[in-house]
């Protein structure tokens, strides 16, 4: 057993528990998504052994190799989606957090195999309004949901965001609070949909995200260590 990895994982679990106790009514208020991109399957196996079920991946080919070895785990696609890569995503994942345009939703719907059940999706919101970032703008969400609600092989579950990084806790909270408000507005507009998910918060800002109602936090670095893209 990799002791350092185990230790990192327990520390993240503890941070989550503390934030849940401080800001929410229950100590178990959010789901931890372990972001294993660029990391070997042995590390996935180690924390799976500690009880971790949900894993996030950004690169299709890398992810398929891991899913092939651990089909028992629950796999979330969280990376940018090229339209020519939607088929393996639709066929192999349980969740997609990074649906950033209608065309991608339509392709995932068309390519989802019938025997896999509905694909859970989140709409990515460009909450910091960065010109270089993908995602729906806040005022596009309502129309997008109307269309996606008609797609039978998708279950739209809520929203996801990757805000512009900030080291200021209050700034982090403000941005996440805006996300929570968007979800509440959509829940009121679409009571027939199962909009129960807010995917936000990473290693550097998970406390602020939990304070503002995150239901999934996506943690890579603080569990698995820094990523090395040089290999
Ligand atoms: C890589 C990644 C993460 C994990 O970020 P860390 O800062 O390493 O915790 C979370 N969400 C998305 C969308 C990512 O691409």
């Amino acid at each position: 057993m990799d002791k350092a990895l185990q230790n990192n994982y327990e520390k993240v679990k503890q941070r989550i528990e503390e934030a849940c106790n401080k800001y929410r009514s229950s100590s178990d208020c959010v789901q931890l998504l372990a972001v294993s991109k660029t990391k070997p399957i042995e590390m996935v196996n180690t924390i799976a052994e500690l009880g971790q079920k949900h894993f996030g991946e950004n690169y299709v080919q890398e992810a398929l190799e891991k899913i092939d070895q651990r089909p028992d785990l629950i796999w979330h696609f969280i990376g940018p989606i090229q339209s020519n890569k939607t088929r393996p995503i639709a066929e192999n994942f349980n969740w997609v957090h990074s649906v950033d345009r209608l065309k991608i939703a339509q392709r995932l719907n068309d390519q989802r195999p019938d025997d896999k059940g509905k694909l859970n999706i989140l709409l990515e919101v460009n909450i910091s309004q960065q010109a270089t970032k993908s995602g729906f703008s806040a005022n596009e969400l309502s129309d997008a949901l109307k269309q996606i609600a008609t797609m039978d092989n998708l279950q739209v579950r809520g929203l996801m965001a990757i805000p512009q990084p900030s080291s200021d806790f209050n700034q982090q909270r403000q941005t996440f609070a805006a996300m929570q408000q968007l979800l509440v507005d959509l829940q009121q507009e679409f009571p027939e949909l199962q909009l129960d998910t807010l995917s936000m918060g990473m290693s550097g800002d998970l406390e602020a995200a939990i304070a503002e109602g995150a239901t999934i936090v996506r943690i890579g670095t603080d569990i698995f260590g820094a990523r090395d893209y040089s290999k």
Side-chain angles (χ1 to χ4, degrees):
M1 177 65 77
D2 179 341
K3 273 279 168 205
L5 177 57
Q6 182 171 0
N7 203 25
N8 284 348
Y9 179 70
E10 299 300 349
K11 268 198 276 194
V12 166
K13 296 281 283 185
Q14 185 155 3
R15 274 171 70 193
I16 290 172
E17 190 181 319
E18 281 167 13
C20 284
N21 279 325
K22 182 161 181 188
Y23 300 108
R24 311 260 286 267
S25 51
S26 116
S27 64
D28 180 23
C29 70
V30 73
Q31 186 180 86
L32 170 57
L33 180 65
V35 177
S36 47
K37 65 183 178 217
T38 80
K39 301 297 180 180
I41 190 72
E42 290 75 20
M43 294 180 99
V44 169
N45 289 337
T46 295
I47 65 164
E49 226 172 288
L50 300 173
Q52 180 65 28
K53 291 255 175 322
H54 293 261
F55 288 83
E57 289 282 338
N58 288 50
Y59 309 107
V60 175
Q61 195 51 46
E62 177 194 347
L64 294 183
E65 289 169 24
K66 291 178 190 166
I67 295 171
D68 200 41
Q69 297 183 68
R70 292 304 302 258
D72 56 313
L73 300 173
I74 301 167
W75 294 94
H76 299 235
F77 191 82
I78 64 173
I81 306 178
Q82 294 166 275
S83 57
N84 64 352
K85 294 279 176 59
T86 50
R87 183 177 296 280
I89 296 173
E91 289 177 349
N92 290 282
F93 283 82
N94 306 97
W95 285 75
V96 180
H97 292 221
S98 42
V99 175
D100 62 353
R101 52 204 195 276
L102 271 177
K103 179 185 176 188
I104 295 298
Q106 187 65 61
R107 290 177 67 89
L108 291 170
N109 181 64
D110 294 346
Q111 294 168 342
R112 179 69 170 173
D114 285 337
D115 64 344
K116 291 252 166 167
K118 287 180 191 247
L119 179 64
N120 292 296
I121 68 158
L122 303 175
L123 301 190
E124 181 174 351
V125 184
N126 187 358
I127 193 67
S128 304
Q129 295 169 297
Q130 294 165 276
T132 55
K133 283 282 157 67
S134 50
F136 292 93
S137 60
N139 61 20
E140 293 171 332
L141 289 170
S142 173
D143 282 344
L145 273 185
K146 278 181 199 135
Q147 307 239 19
I148 291 169
T150 68
M151 300 180 189
D152 288 339
N153 298 320
L154 302 182
Q155 184 80 57
V156 60
R157 298 289 296 272
L159 304 176
M160 174 272 216
I162 312 169
Q164 191 160 34
S166 162
S167 53
D168 180 70
F169 185 69
N170 290 320
Q171 174 60 51
Q172 292 171 1
R173 277 192 72 157
Q174 258 183 37
T175 307
F176 291 135
M179 283 294 296
Q180 186 175 38
Q181 188 60 52
L182 287 176
L183 185 69
V184 167
D185 291 346
L186 293 169
Q187 284 167 336
Q188 278 172 4
E189 187 180 347
F190 299 94
E192 71 283 10
L193 297 179
Q194 190 190 340
L195 299 175
D196 55 8
T197 303
L198 206 43
S199 166
M200 57 188 195
M202 309 186 356
S203 293
D205 55 15
L206 74 88
E207 284 83 2
I210 287 172
E212 301 298 344
T215 69
I216 300 180
V217 291
R218 309 179 308 265
I219 311 300
T221 307
D222 284 0
I223 297 176
F224 296 103
R227 289 176 289 275
D228 179 359
Y229 288 100
S230 66
K231 285 184 259 178

